[in-house]
Amino acid sequence: MASRDRRRRSTEDAWFVTAPLALLAIAFSTAVALLSDGPVGDWGLALLLFLVMAGTSIPVLNVVVRRQAVGVTLTEVPLIVALFFLPPLTVVLIYTLSHVASSVWHRFSPTKLWFNVAKAAAATSLAGLILLALPPLEGVGPGTWGSLFLAVVSITLVSLVSVVCVHVLIQGWPVGREALRSTPSVLLTTSINASVGLLVLIALRETWWSVLLLGALLVALAQVYRSYSQFFRQHRTLTGMYDLARLMTTSTEGALADVLLDRVRAIMQAEYATLWLPAQGRHPEVLLTARVDTSGLLDVAPTPAVLREQARDLGQTVAIGRLLGDETALRKQVSAKQVKDAIVVPLRSGQAVIGTLEVTNRLSDVGHFTSADIPVFETVAAHAAVALENTRLVDRLRHDAYHDSLTKLPNRRRVTGALEEAVKIRAPGEVVALLLFDVDRLREVNESLGHAAGDKVLVEVAERLRSCAPSSALVGRIGGDEFLVTLRLESADAALEMAARMREQIRAEMVFDALTLDVDTAVGVAVHPDHGSDPAVLLQRVDLAATAAKSVPGSVQLFNAALESRSLRRLGLAGDLRRALDDGGLEVYFQPKVTLRDRRLVGVECLARWEDPAHGTVSPEDFVAVAEHTGQLGRLTEFVLREGLRRSRDWAHGGHPLSVAVNLSPRTLTDPHFPARVAELLDEYGVPPQRLTLEIRESGVLDGTDRPIPTLRRLRDLGVRLSVDDFGTGDSSLAHLRRLPVHEVKVDRSFVQGMATDPGDLAIVNAVVTLSQQFGLAVVAEGVESELTLELLQDIGCEIGQGFLFSRPLPYERLEAWFGAQVDPEAVPAGELPRLRVVP
């Protein structure tokens, strides 16, 4: 654009055309003076024709070409009369002087004034030579018509060629070519004017009294020309507005401003057209300007900002110019910008002003905006406002369709589209990594603190992910509590490292008013092409990886084929589990719980087992997860409770009262009817409440909220014992147990099994046992599998244990056989629990 501006010459360079024209005018005028018999004619008639020429030289129809205008006037009418009655040299003089008067009247610059003078003198002197070269004018017959017509046309052609030369010199050949396109219209008008002039000449030759009639006719003709000019402008304006409306409806969003400003500038015949849209929401400020001889749009405006700001604040059109009225304060600022006139119209969307549309400088030196232009421009601005608002609406709808309304991140549709593009490009040594961040415990936050708090958590997680993700990454929200980050990395290992690093960076505490929350995420990782080439498959597999990561809080899991096979397996188990519950296909196994000091059997843990004819042995982890997601968890829990209470009743009737422990899912604690159901079952089987222990995983009972506490208190009030299972695998501490109504802590098997070889595990178990006893809690050690572990547990004072050292989980019949084989042969004292043999 800058190079184009450098190629544009200054208007002062028009002297390169004016000077040759002046030389030609001198040469042709000298020749006319030498060849004419009487170079000077009737000065009175000459003065009269000069006045008529000056009066008719005011243009009534302008053909605008870029910055310049070709004026079509009635000058040819008196010119025909002058060429017939006056010597050629006198015609040259009065015609030239009429152009001087016209240029002064219109306040032309000196450069254009001298160009018009030289052009007029050269053209009329050439016409004089043509008339001298032709047979003398005698009468007003056809011969005279042809000679005068040829002379007038030569004047028009010289003027047209001179204007084209100036355009080519200053603005280049394309602009000159546009000026040439006006030739047919100019010649047609010249022919009409010449014909009228010949009719006037015939009338004057007949009688001078015809001047009166011709004067009236001239006035009428001027009005016709003015009406035609007005009609021409209206037709051009309507055509331009129709084209503008059509192009705005068919233009793409990016091309709308270009089309709008170019058409507005053309309709208003302005040098500049400017669109200003202040910053609004996510839309930045827009300031674009179309200039008449510049391709593309400028990001500056010729008018001061105060004009458009005033139009926006007042909601009214602001117009400054010679024919529009001036405001002194604003006029000084406009003049400093070398702006001769401007119209600024506010763009409205309903009652709100969304921006302004402005035009600056009517084209040509003689042109100025008038009050009649304001309604036209306001109509154009109304169309433009509708088109712009529709464009913004479409843009907003498109944005909303591809972005999450809460976090403003790309949504699943946008992420899927980006993945489709990313997987098409296979870069050597790179993978497309998908990192799925699943926010832990968001449901608990929503239920305990309200959805507003949950929304704040999601927004904060989105901000942290956006800030810590590499600039090349795409961060999106694809589900309620799921955020996906996609980027190119070197390998799957690099993706795992990136996921772990980002997870650590977003784990900082979140403070909302007086509330502080610890929010963690489980992260699943999948990469293309290792884990699939289809975006839908990749999203499915990274979701499986994230689900697997949630089983170990705060972990990062890379997808593997076993995860998918397990997911497919669980999907097929849903219907079979319902049939198994209906048909008694599930069985309850029992694992003994033994006092470690004297090896007395104190109870059993009830564990559901499922041997399916089609699926084989189904792990509890799988069918419990299926039960949770298919609404069958309540039936599964009640089935285990019934079987455990029934066996406890039978053992009590046989003289061996044993307690039974049943595992509960964290979701069961959200059921307000569960405590009442437990009470009904205890009454139904006649089992004292203290013989029932309900075990809840640490992650379920210590979830950072008070949500499970009401259910736990109701169960405690029933007399049921409560136990925290798998203690030590989460992020909680024993201090958290002080506010919970629990009776027992079960140390996770991973620590118990490592006691004999890992001093750290031994220290952990020792601390749990010591502190639990101080809090008045019983301690059960899971995973007792060796005599050395048993001795270590006895040394630190652990009371109860269970594990393969005593027995694996057994069905009821095998448990009875095991029980009979393990009890000492001597009689068991009344009221005491049976003592087990030493296991070899």
Side-chain angles (χ1 to χ4, degrees):
M1 188 176 297
S3 60
R4 179 180 294 272
D5 290 342
R6 287 193 294 268
R7 290 195 300 268
R8 186 187 303 117
R9 295 176 178 268
S10 170
T11 55
E12 298 295 328
D13 292 335
W15 286 105
F16 287 105
V17 177
T18 303
L21 286 175
L23 293 176
L24 288 175
I26 294 172
F28 292 161
S29 299
T30 302
V32 168
L34 295 176
L35 296 175
S36 297
D37 294 336
V40 179
D42 186 351
W43 288 108
L45 181 60
L47 177 60
L48 178 61
L49 290 175
F50 162 73
L51 294 176
V52 176
M53 284 184 185
T56 57
S57 62
I58 300 175
V60 294
L61 182 62
N62 285 322
V63 180
V64 179
V65 181
R66 294 293 178 100
R67 292 174 177 268
Q68 305 298 325
V70 178
V72 179
T73 68
L74 297 175
T75 322
E76 290 85 357
V77 176
L79 181 59
I80 289 286
V81 177
L83 289 174
F84 183 82
F85 287 109
L86 296 175
L89 192 58
T90 304
V91 175
V92 172
L93 178 61
I94 64 174
Y95 189 77
T96 303
L97 290 176
S98 69
H99 276 71
V100 172
S102 175
S103 298
V104 172
W105 172 267
H106 291 300
R107 302 178 184 178
F108 285 168
S109 63
T111 302
K112 189 160 187 178
L113 185 148
W114 289 113
F115 170 75
N116 286 338
V117 170
K119 178 187 67 174
T124 50
S125 58
L126 176 61
L129 286 178
I130 292 175
L131 288 178
L132 292 174
L134 295 174
L137 301 178
E138 296 180 357
V140 288
T144 300
W145 301 349
S147 298
L148 292 176
F149 184 80
L150 184 59
V152 171
V153 170
S154 67
I155 294 174
T156 301
L157 291 177
V158 169
S159 299
L160 188 59
V161 170
S162 302
V163 171
V164 170
C165 289
V166 170
H167 282 306
V168 173
L169 177 67
I170 297 176
Q171 297 173 305
W173 168 244
V175 181
R177 185 169 58 244
E178 289 188 30
L180 277 177
R181 292 174 182 170
S182 65
T183 301
S185 298
V186 173
L187 290 179
L188 176 61
T189 305
T190 299
S191 301
I192 295 173
N193 289 345
S195 299
V196 173
L198 290 173
L199 291 174
V200 171
L201 177 60
I202 294 171
L204 291 175
R205 285 286 293 173
E206 184 65 28
T207 174
W208 285 100
W209 287 103
S210 60
V211 171
L212 298 177
L213 297 176
L214 291 175
L217 180 62
L218 182 63
V219 172
L221 187 60
Q223 292 301 320
V224 171
Y225 264 70
R226 186 176 298 276
S227 299
Y228 172 73
S229 174
Q230 184 177 1
F231 170 78
F232 178 76
R233 286 198 304 269
Q234 291 176 348
H235 175 73
R236 182 182 58 205
T237 300
L238 291 175
T239 302
M241 293 181 66
Y242 170 77
D243 290 341
L244 174 63
R246 178 176 54 83
L247 290 173
M248 284 194 301
T249 56
T250 57
S251 297
T252 61
E253 176 184 344
L256 178 61
D258 202 342
V259 170
L260 169 64
L261 293 176
D262 183 66
R263 291 291 170 171
V264 167
R265 188 205 55 73
I267 291 172
M268 300 302 297
Q269 295 185 16
E271 182 179 358
Y272 297 93
T274 300
L275 172 67
W276 177 55
L277 300 174
Q280 180 183 7
R282 65 181 185 84
H283 297 284
E285 181 183 18
V286 174
L287 180 63
L288 297 172
T289 299
R291 187 163 58 183
V292 63
D293 50 3
T294 301
S295 61
L297 299 178
L298 307 174
D299 56 0
V300 295
T303 53
V306 64
L307 288 181
R308 58 188 71 98
E309 291 173 357
Q310 180 173 330
R312 179 194 61 181
D313 296 339
L314 298 178
Q316 298 176 354
T317 299
V318 175
I320 293 180
R322 176 182 174 187
L323 304 178
L324 297 171
D326 290 336
E327 296 183 28
T328 305
L330 294 178
R331 185 64 205 173
K332 292 180 180 179
Q333 299 185 49
V334 171
S335 299
K337 293 274 190 176
Q338 297 183 343
V339 172
K340 65 179 182 179
D341 45 15
I343 304 177
V344 183
V345 178
L347 299 174
R348 297 182 179 277
S349 175
Q351 297 299 320
V353 176
I354 62 173
T356 62
L357 189 63
E358 64 188 69
V359 287
T360 307
N361 293 352
R362 173 61 67 85
L363 286 176
S364 85
D365 294 335
V366 300
H368 292 277
F369 294 124
T370 66
S371 57
D373 293 316
I374 295 179
V376 174
F377 190 35
E378 288 176 341
T379 303
V380 173
H383 285 287
V386 172
L388 288 169
E389 188 64 15
N390 288 342
T391 301
R392 282 196 168 185
L393 176 61
V394 171
D395 175 66
R396 185 161 58 249
L397 292 174
R398 184 180 294 115
H399 181 274
D400 292 346
Y402 288 96
H403 289 79
D404 171 51
S405 59
L406 176 64
T407 63
K408 310 306 179 186
L409 293 177
N411 58 15
R412 177 179 287 272
R413 180 184 300 177
R414 172 72 179 88
V415 170
T416 303
L419 276 177
E420 290 177 353
E421 295 298 324
V423 299
K424 291 178 182 178
I425 305 174
R426 178 69 182 276
E430 283 187 348
V431 297
V432 178
L434 287 75
L435 317 179
L436 181 59
F437 293 80
D438 192 306
V439 181
D440 287 341
R441 301 175 180 173
L442 182 65
R443 180 178 178 181
E444 286 82 354
V445 173
N446 288 332
E447 293 178 352
S448 303
L449 305 176
H451 287 277
D455 290 346
K456 290 181 179 180
V457 170
L458 291 173
V459 171
E460 181 64 21
V461 171
E463 289 296 327
R464 294 183 180 184
L465 280 174
R466 196 158 27 201
S467 62
C468 70
S471 58
S472 60
L474 174 66
V475 181
R477 181 188 177 200
I478 63 171
D481 56 358
E482 295 178 337
F483 295 86
L484 186 72
V485 179
T486 62
L487 70 166
R488 291 186 179 274
L489 293 171
E490 296 81 8
S491 62
D493 292 337
L496 285 172
E497 294 176 5
M498 175 66 71
R501 185 164 59 250
M502 292 180 63
R503 174 183 165 271
E504 289 299 322
Q505 290 177 351
I506 66 175
R507 285 188 65 192
E509 291 182 341
M510 296 183 184
V511 180
F512 303 108
D513 299 328
L515 184 66
T516 301
L517 298 178
D518 290 323
V519 179
D520 200 357
T521 56
V523 190
V525 180
V527 298
H528 162 79
D530 298 355
H531 302 143
S533 299
D534 182 78
V537 172
L538 288 169
L539 288 172
Q540 177 189 5
R541 290 177 174 175
V542 75
D543 186 64
L544 290 174
T547 301
K550 286 193 291 187
S551 62
V552 181
S555 70
V556 178
Q557 174 69 52
L558 180 68
F559 172 81
N560 59 74
L563 298 177
E564 188 168 40
S565 61
R566 173 176 292 183
S567 176
L568 293 173
R569 176 180 173 86
R570 287 182 177 180
L571 183 63
L573 288 176
D576 295 336
L577 176 61
R578 183 178 292 104
R579 286 190 293 272
L581 288 170
D582 293 338
D583 303 337
L586 269 69
E587 190 176 359
V588 175
Y589 279 41
F590 305 90
Q591 186 173 27
K593 298 170 70 174
V594 179
T595 58
L596 300 180
R597 182 65 57 186
D598 52 11
R599 296 176 185 249
R600 292 187 182 277
L601 182 65
V602 294
V604 294
E605 180 178 0
C606 303
L607 302 169
R609 293 294 184 266
W610 183 16
E611 190 73 26
D612 185 75
H615 301 285
T617 301
V618 183
S619 69
E621 180 183 359
D622 286 340
F623 66 75
V624 170
V626 171
E628 288 181 339
H629 288 86
T630 58
Q632 302 179 75
L633 181 62
R635 293 187 62 194
L636 177 62
T637 303
E638 183 174 337
F639 166 75
V640 179
L641 271 173
R642 283 185 175 276
E643 187 67 12
L645 293 175
R646 183 167 70 88
R647 297 304 180 186
S648 178
R649 180 192 60 188
D650 295 344
W651 287 324
H653 291 168
H656 304 297
L658 296 176
S659 65
V660 291
V662 177
N663 289 292
L664 295 183
S665 168
R667 187 169 295 183
T668 303
L669 297 179
T670 64
D671 183 3
H673 305 292
F674 179 70
R677 187 59 181 155
V678 171
E680 293 175 1
L681 292 175
L682 289 172
D683 291 341
E684 179 180 346
Y685 289 98
V687 176
Q690 61 270 20
R691 288 186 190 169
L692 173 63
T693 300
L694 298 178
E695 299 183 358
I696 308 99
R697 285 188 177 184
E698 178 189 1
S699 59
V701 71
L702 296 174
D703 61 355
T705 70
D706 294 334
R707 185 174 56 86
I709 292 180
T711 301
L712 293 175
R713 286 176 176 170
R714 291 177 61 190
L715 291 171
R716 182 197 60 184
D717 293 343
L718 289 175
V720 173
R721 290 179 56 83
L722 301 175
S723 176
V724 179
D725 196 8
D726 298 336
F727 189 82
T729 57
D731 295 331
S732 57
S733 65
L734 279 168
H736 293 157
L737 295 177
R738 300 180 61 184
R739 62 187 182 90
L740 297 177
V742 297
H743 307 84
E744 177 182 283
V745 174
K746 297 186 73 174
V747 185
D748 186 69
R749 69 180 68 249
S750 62
F751 301 111
V752 175
Q753 292 174 347
M755 289 175 58
T757 57
D758 189 339
D761 288 343
L762 178 61
I764 290 174
V765 176
N766 187 19
V768 171
V769 172
T770 302
L771 291 176
S772 297
Q773 290 174 347
Q774 291 180 359
F775 291 154
L777 301 175
V779 181
V780 178
E782 296 181 299
V784 182
E785 298 183 357
S786 69
E787 290 289 346
L788 179 57
T789 301
L790 176 63
E791 293 176 2
L792 290 173
L793 289 170
Q794 290 174 341
D795 292 341
I796 63 177
C798 185
E799 303 168 355
I800 302 173
Q802 66 182 90
F804 292 171
L805 178 64
F806 308 115
S807 174
R808 294 176 179 272
L810 300 172
Y812 177 75
E813 293 77 10
R814 292 180 58 189
L815 177 70
E816 287 291 310
W818 173 88
F819 182 72
Q822 296 296 321
V823 176
D824 282 337
E826 62 263 20
V828 178
E832 291 188 10
L833 292 172
R835 181 182 178 87
L836 301 181
R837 292 176 183 272
V838 175
V839 180

